[in-house]
Amino acid sequence: MNAFRVAALLVAPLFVSGCYSTPKEKTEYEKQIDAVPMPATEAERVEQCRNFQQSADHQRIVDLLQYAQRSKLGDSDYEFTESRALLRRLRAMKCPGYGWFS
């Protein structure tokens, strides 16, 4: 019984520290995307989906070029923050092809 209590006392701080990690600071691009109001009507949603999908497609090309360039130089520190922000927004608006189950 004492071994279980000791193990629980050792594991609990690790579990709690993992659950309460500080959130990562948003980039300026993520803040700009979050500033765009969510669509109120279906027509606005379709239009915003189309616009964000075009931006996401363009960003994928930029990411691919950046990744290829950085891999040639040996620097692999590219984070794809713009692409992730666009994908989060597309999922939040439930755009076709970008949702979890679409």
Side-chain angles (χ1 to χ4, degrees):
M1 190 68 158
N2 284 337
F4 180 71
R5 287 182 183 169
V6 170
L9 289 174
L10 291 175
V11 173
L14 296 174
F15 180 73
V16 170
S17 68
C19 292
Y20 292 106
S21 61
T22 58
K24 187 177 174 184
E25 183 70 29
K26 286 188 176 186
T27 63
E28 198 61 39
Y29 190 79
E30 290 172 317
K31 290 176 185 176
Q32 288 174 357
I33 288 177
D34 290 343
V36 176
M38 291 296 274
T41 65
E42 183 62 23
E44 288 178 2
R45 187 184 72 80
V46 169
E47 184 178 345
Q48 278 192 17
C49 281
R50 184 175 45 246
N51 292 337
F52 279 114
Q53 285 173 348
Q54 288 174 351
S55 296
D57 292 342
H58 174 73
Q59 191 59 45
R60 278 193 205 118
I61 294 169
V62 170
D63 288 345
L64 180 65
L65 293 174
Q66 286 286 336
Y67 181 76
Q69 182 181 11
R70 288 177 182 268
S71 64
K72 286 180 184 177
L73 298 174
D75 183 21
S76 61
D77 219 16
Y78 193 62
E79 294 185 8
F80 306 105
T81 55
E82 290 88 0
S83 293
R84 284 186 296 189
L86 286 166
L87 288 175
R88 276 195 303 270
R89 180 59 183 242
L90 288 165
R91 285 186 188 125
M93 290 190 311
K94 296 182 172 82
C95 294
Y98 288 94
W100 294 106
F101 299 107
S102 60

